[in-house]
Amino acid sequence: MKPSQPQPQPLFHLFFLLLAATAAVSSSSSSPLDPKQLKALKTLTTAKDPCDSNNHSSSTTITCDDASPFRHVTSLSFSTSSSLSLPSKTLKPLSTSLLSLSFLNCPSLSPPKHLPISLRSFTAVSSFHRHGLSGVYLARLVNLTHLTISSVPVSASGLYVVLGNMRNVTSLTISSSNLPGKIPKTFHSNLTHIDLSNNILTGSLRPSSITLLTDLKLLNLSRNSLSGEIPNKIGDLASLQNLSLAYNRFSGPIPSSVSSLSRLTHLDLSGNQLNGVVPSFFSRMESLRHLNLADNSFQGVLPFNESFIKQLEFFQVRGNSGLCYNNTVLSWKLNLGVAPCDKYGLPLSSPPQKEEEDSTLSEEDEEEEEDYGDGDKKEEKHESNKIVLGVAIGLSSLVFLIVFLILLAKWSVLSK
Ligand SMILES: *[C@@H]1O[C@H](CO)[C@@H](O)[C@H](O)[C@H]1NC(C)=O
Ligand SMILES: *[C@@H]1O[C@H](CO)[C@@H](O)[C@H](O)[C@H]1NC(C)=O
Ligand SMILES: *[C@@H]1O[C@H](CO)[C@@H](O)[C@H](O)[C@H]1NC(C)=O
Ligand SMILES: *[C@@H]1O[C@H](CO)[C@@H](O)[C@H](O)[C@H]1NC(C)=O
Ligand SMILES: *[C@@H]1O[C@H](CO)[C@@H](O)[C@H](O)[C@H]1NC(C)=O
Ligand SMILES: *[C@@H]1O[C@H](CO)[C@@H](O)[C@H](O)[C@H]1NC(C)=O
Ligand SMILES: *[C@@H]1O[C@H](CO)[C@@H](O)[C@H](O)[C@H]1NC(C)=O
Ligand SMILES: *[C@@H]1O[C@H](CO)[C@@H](O)[C@H](O)[C@H]1NC(C)=O
């Protein structure tokens, strides 16, 4: 009988067996790792079969495909490794198959000289603190779908340098990276996540920047220096779930189109110079769970009832000196950090110089007024100030008591 499969060359067979023996650890796939890649990985790991090394003490995680006759490395992840380096010699044999590369908490590592341009996913978090990453270096990765950079300095004159030819990016994070420049005129791809938080971006959010982003679920531009009005086009982001424009210099009103963001769960507009009234449509946005409007210049009567506020997981409006609540609708117990309204819909207790009735202010209200501008942090500071004062009084009383006792003892010795 003829064998159903062609017989491999004896020499090749031997070689194959040898490799299988090196990869002795039980494997879900019967194929061994490509010998060239196995050799390259020698500098990174001592595991006999890197594809299946389930080694948690190791700082390198390797995953492979299931191809035959040889498997190939598809993803490589480094974490908390301070001494490891990734030489080009290692990376090159992997570059034909590597789709994902990540560095987590490798601050003293240098970035590899050349990244495989076929990468689909690149992640660097709290790494490369000495060298950082350059925009030009990243821009070569034209096939990326996921770019995640956080707490890694990025040197580029703007985001346009990085994104130049990356037409396939769906998830873009460059956060806490000292990135300057403006938001690009357009994002030319099917982005679902944009997180550019905590950089030094300036300029405005132009309507053209966000027109095409109908798949966008997350837009986080918090902690930059963006200014101007929030464009009405924001209402076109039909898939948007999380929106944060917090701690910028946005001004003007909340555009009415926000009411059409039916999937919005998180909205954070705190720490800007937004003004006008707080729109009542928020209470009709059924997905909304987290609403932060603190530290702005909103005015007038808060248009919400207690059942709406209580159904939210997070709600904050403090730090808006012109805002007040109707105390026949809302209880002071909600501790909203804004004053109750008078019959004209103006805040009863602020600004203090305007009205005489202010002398009836409770201590709590006064504190909240001072809070205006900095929200929670100042409140914490107030608390700690109180504690410090208490401790100081306690200590000085103790010192006084000791001195008194010493004097008393001396006096009693002397008088003997
Ligand atoms: C796990 O990783 C450590 C450190 O990298 C290494 O010394 C050890 O030999 C590895 N264990 C196995 C079973 O591969
Ligand atoms: C990008 O991906 C496409 C499709 O998989 C491939 O044809 C192309 O060669 C890749 N480009 C680079 C620079 O790797
Ligand atoms: C964007 O998505 C559309 C539809 O989902 C698709 O036809 C198009 O090829 C995508 N574009 C890119 C650059 O991936
Ligand atoms: C990137 O998008 C282009 C179309 O704009 C497509 O030809 C190419 O195959 C995509 N690359 C990958 C890796 O999907
Ligand atoms: C936006 O980014 C900031 C800082 O990186 C983070 O604290 C916040 O949770 C993010 N917000 C959303 C809605 O993703
Ligand atoms: C929105 O933010 C919340 C809290 O930070 C998070 O749990 C959720 O996954 C985010 N949603 C998206 C689409 O990123
Ligand atoms: C609170 O406001 C919501 C939305 O405006 C409304 O549907 C609900 O009936 C109100 N609840 C009460 C108790 O007034
Ligand atoms: C407060 O609410 C009551 C009852 O809904 C209403 O009659 C009154 O006009 C409101 N006051 C202000 C200042 O809006």
Side-chain angles (χ1 to χ4, degrees), residues 380-394:
E380 274 166 28
K381 216 167 131 198
H382 267 286
E383 281 304 309
S384 60
N385 278 352
K386 272 183 195 167
I387 294 168
V388 167
L389 192 67
V391 169
I393 289 173

Side-chain angles (χ1 to χ4, degrees), residues 19-44:
L19 269 169
T22 15
V25 195
S26 75
S27 157
S28 56
S29 158
S30 48
S31 315
L33 181 61
D34 182 326
K36 276 191 209 136
Q37 298 198 342
L38 182 65
K39 193 167 163 235
L41 288 172
K42 283 262 155 65
T43 54
L44 297 178

Side-chain angles (χ1 to χ4, degrees), residues 117-118 120 142-143:
I117 54 172
S118 54
R120 305 292 168 85
V142 295
N143 267 350

Side-chain angles (χ1 to χ4, degrees), residues 89-272:
K89 206 173 66 189
T90 302
L91 213 45
K92 203 154 183 215
L94 305 181
S95 64
T96 48
S97 60
L98 199 64
L99 297 176
S100 163
L101 183 59
S102 78
F103 298 87
L104 309 171
N105 296 307
C106 307
S108 54
L109 213 63
S110 305
K113 269 224 177 66
H114 302 288
L115 292 176
I117 54 172
S118 54
L119 281 183
R120 305 292 168 85
S121 168
F122 180 69
T123 302
V125 176
S126 302
S127 299
F128 313 136
H129 282 178
R130 247 182 309 153
H131 298 82
L133 294 166
S134 85
V136 177
Y137 176 90
L138 293 168
R140 284 201 303 260
L141 306 174
V142 295
N143 267 350
L144 279 191
T145 60
H146 289 71
L147 177 62
T148 308
I149 294 174
S150 179
S151 301
V152 175
V154 169
S155 53
S157 53
L159 190 60
Y160 71 96
V161 176
V162 181
L163 291 185
N165 292 309
M166 281 185 201
R167 289 173 203 284
N168 303 60
V169 176
T170 58
S171 176
L172 169 69
T173 298
I174 301 182
S175 166
S176 306
S177 298
N178 249 330
L179 186 71
K182 300 187 170 190
I183 307 281
K185 233 179 250 152
T186 54
F187 285 102
H188 54 199
S189 52
N190 296 348
L191 281 153
T192 60
H193 288 73
I194 298 178
D195 181 349
L196 301 172
S197 61
N198 206 10
N199 284 300
I200 46 176
L201 299 171
T202 52
S204 60
L205 182 57
R206 287 167 287 186
S208 66
S209 302
I210 52 173
T211 39
L212 298 173
L213 301 174
T214 49
D215 290 336
L216 197 68
K217 289 183 179 150
L218 177 135
L219 179 60
N220 192 343
L221 301 175
S222 66
R223 297 186 187 275
N224 281 286
S225 298
L226 301 168
S227 54
E229 299 202 353
I230 301 173
N232 204 44
K233 275 274 177 201
I234 201 106
D236 292 358
L237 305 181
S239 309
L240 204 61
Q241 294 172 10
N242 288 6
L243 173 62
S244 177
L245 304 176
Y247 294 94
N248 279 284
R249 297 188 201 129
F250 286 109
S251 54
I254 296 178
S256 58
S257 65
V258 167
S259 64
S260 59
L261 298 174
S262 60
R263 301 197 183 146
L264 199 66
T265 62
H266 278 65
L267 179 63
D268 189 349
L269 301 176
S270 61
N272 283 289

